[in-house]
Amino acid sequence: MDPTTRALLRHFLAALAYRTQKALRDAPDSFAGFEAGEGVRTPQDLLRHMTSVLGYARTFIIGGSYTAEPLPDMQSEIARFHAMLEDLGTRLGAGATFSGATPESILQGPFSDAMTHAGQLAMLRRLAGSPVPPRTS
């Protein structure tokens, strides 16, 4: 994988961390279990799913499989999510390559899936009555 592609993937992971944290920062404790409707993941379930798709992407580097078992609270899910992002970024920074997948397919698949869910978290905040505050400069 060329250095430009590696840098782009790491930048994407950093943007994912930022957008997810922005959607979660200062959310009320009740947000973790907010139910928007039948069949809609709660924010805590959505974050676990985001970690799972990133864990799936990591299997193309380290092999094996990945399952994100439910954790007892949102703070634990947030910590695991950020640990997964950090691990992926560190591996990419150290020169890891994907086996059986191209960088493009990882970006278009699990990385983009996770970014879509970051937007869903922000939308769920609004539906839960606690919209993400606008950025002030």
Side-chain angles (χ1 to χ4, degrees):
M1 181 180 342
D2 70 83
T4 301
T5 301
R6 187 177 308 286
L8 176 68
L9 292 175
R10 293 183 75 212
H11 181 77
F12 190 92
L13 292 174
L16 177 58
Y18 169 78
R19 290 181 178 274
T20 302
Q21 202 50 40
K22 182 176 181 181
L24 297 174
R25 187 176 298 115
D26 299 324
D29 291 340
S30 61
F31 179 63
F34 174 70
E35 294 184 9
E38 186 177 335
V40 178
R41 290 181 176 113
T42 66
Q44 187 168 335
D45 290 340
L46 193 55
L47 190 59
R48 181 175 56 255
H49 175 69
M50 291 167 70
T51 302
S52 289
V53 297
L54 294 173
Y56 170 73
R58 190 178 65 179
T59 67
F60 289 96
I61 296 173
I62 65 171
S65 62
Y66 181 82
T67 303
E69 295 297 331
L71 295 177
D73 56 55
M74 187 65 145
Q75 290 309 312
S76 299
E77 292 289 355
I78 291 169
R80 176 171 60 183
F81 173 74
H82 284 289
M84 178 62 74
L85 286 171
E86 184 176 344
D87 184 58
L88 276 167
T90 298
R91 289 176 189 280
L92 288 169
T97 58
F98 299 108
S99 176
T102 64
E104 294 83 3
S105 67
I106 295 295
L107 177 63
Q108 292 170 349
F111 282 18
S112 291
D113 186 22
M115 186 67 82
T116 297
H117 295 313
Q120 289 172 333
L121 286 170
M123 181 183 66
L124 287 172
R125 277 282 300 266
R126 180 168 293 281
L127 290 173
S130 177
V132 176
R135 185 178 141 195
T136 58
S137 326

